[in-house]
Amino acid sequence: MVFDVVTIFPEFFSGILEHGLLKRARQGGQAEIRLRDLRDFTDDRHRTVDDRPFGGGPGMVFKPEPLFRAVEALQTEAGGAEFPVILLSPQGRLLTQPVAEELARHEHLALLCARYEGVDERVAEHLATDELSIGDYVLSGGELAAAVVMEAVTRLLPGVLGNEESSAQDSFSGGGDAAPTAAHGILDCPHYTRPPDFRGWTVPEVLLSGNHEEIRRWRRRRALEKTWRKRPDLLAKVPLSDEDRRFLEEIKTAALAPAR
Ligand code: 9D3
């Protein structure tokens, strides 16, 4: 996967590129991240990327010319091969695991990061093929969002995770042929490690029992319970087995039962 990141802050990315998953994927050749300084695509002495909004109002807006020139340079480099041009913006569609999976099927993505009040609308309309937001909260620009997109996509690429299956077992994966403990679009079950007694808070007995069928049932029940309590919206979207429905009935009955 090649990511071309167009930004006025290429240095912003040095930290995340030098650690963890993105570092490993770059070293392993599964991901290449090319940082493109938007100011290199300006043609004035001051390397101007922004201007005041027509109609007045606060703040500045990214001018269209540098962004168009930057993307056109990438397209020339790609030798006619098409690739998505993704504008990170609060107006974009929400990044979700299915969206990350869809992006991971490409071999080249361009990520455009804006600052200030945003970009000239002609960029969104005539240059970007896609507009993505990472959530309903205000960031100062697209760089952090681009980093999130790269992390979410890269970990799905073949060969990036040591365990090829472990991404299929994550909380938000669609699942499919996941292991017995996999949560199909529901939240994960709780995890514990040593010591078995930490300040009087003990690890559930069943996990120490060695009974794998009982452990599987406990994990599934706790995953369903956590999802029902914290994210009931997810339960409406996932296929539930007969066992799941039985667990949920028991969970709801226990929750409604009077204390003691
Ligand atoms: C406070 C400014 N807002 C006026 C109502 C609009 C606004 C403009 C530009 C809000 C944020 C930004 C900069 N944000 C991004 O470029 C951005 C973003 C985000 O803020 N939240 C979630 N995802 C993304 S992706 C890009």
Side-chain angles (χ1 to χ4, degrees):
M1 171 72 77
V2 174
F3 296 101
D4 275 306
V5 184
V6 180
T7 171
I8 58 168
F9 294 128
E11 338 73 75
F12 176 96
F13 295 89
S14 29
I16 55 150
L17 294 188
E18 283 156 30
H19 298 279
L21 179 116
L22 288 176
K23 177 187 185 180
R24 232 180 325 113
R26 291 173 75 216
Q27 288 174 339
Q30 294 98 348
E32 182 182 350
I33 297 165
R34 310 194 292 208
L35 300 172
R36 312 288 185 158
D37 189 337
L38 182 63
R39 293 191 196 279
D40 292 344
F41 301 92
T42 57
D43 54 10
D44 65 310
R45 211 161 52 82
H46 297 105
R47 315 223 304 157
T48 309
V49 295
D50 60 335
D51 205 342
R52 292 153 60 209
F54 277 126
M60 300 291 274
V61 174
F62 268 37
K63 297 161 58 63
E65 298 94 324
L67 283 164
F68 272 81
R69 290 178 63 181
V71 170
E72 283 157 5
L74 299 178
Q75 285 164 340
T76 302
E77 264 182 63
E82 303 230 338
F83 53 88
V85 176
I86 300 168
L87 175 65
L88 284 315
S89 124
Q91 286 86 45
R93 65 178 172 137
L94 272 185
L95 178 67
T96 59
Q97 195 63 23
V99 170
E101 284 164 10
E102 174 198 316
L103 297 178
R105 289 197 280 272
H106 294 272
E107 52 192 44
H108 184 186
L109 299 173
L111 301 172
L112 311 184
C113 307
R115 288 260 143 188
Y116 320 124
E117 286 309 299
V119 304
D120 186 290
E121 187 64 14
R122 289 164 291 191
V123 170
E125 282 189 5
H126 305 294
L127 184 63
T129 60
D130 211 344
E131 220 176 325
L132 276 187
S133 162
I134 62 163
D136 292 336
Y137 36 78
V138 179
L139 303 174
S140 305
E143 282 79 7
L144 209 43
V148 168
V149 170
M150 289 194 286
E151 159 96 18
V153 169
T154 298
R155 59 194 306 293
L156 296 173
L157 301 176
V160 170
L161 296 181
N163 174 4
E164 284 297 295
E165 276 124 280
S166 78
S167 82
Q169 293 184 28
D170 281 359
S171 277
F172 290 99
S173 162
D177 57 350
T181 54
H184 295 255
I186 65 174
L187 302 181
D188 206 356
C189 63
H191 300 283
Y192 296 88
T193 186
R194 293 184 292 177
D197 183 331
F198 173 67
R199 300 184 178 180
W201 298 306
T202 54
V203 172
E205 203 62 47
V206 55
L207 297 179
L208 312 175
S209 71
N211 184 333
H212 295 293
E213 176 55 18
E214 252 193 75
I215 291 170
R216 183 198 66 77
R217 282 201 302 267
W218 181 88
R219 286 183 167 155
R220 184 69 190 172
R221 185 191 297 262
R222 292 302 309 270
L224 287 164
E225 181 176 1
K226 203 192 270 193
T227 307
W228 179 67
R229 289 184 188 282
K230 300 186 185 196
R231 291 292 307 276
D233 58 300
L234 295 177
L235 284 180
K237 299 179 199 165
V238 295
L240 297 173
S241 67
D242 290 345
E243 182 188 57
D244 291 341
R245 271 186 284 275
R246 214 159 12 85
F247 285 160
L248 279 168
E249 280 316 307
E250 290 167 13
I251 290 161
K252 291 175 193 176
T253 308
L256 293 171
R260 275 181 306 127

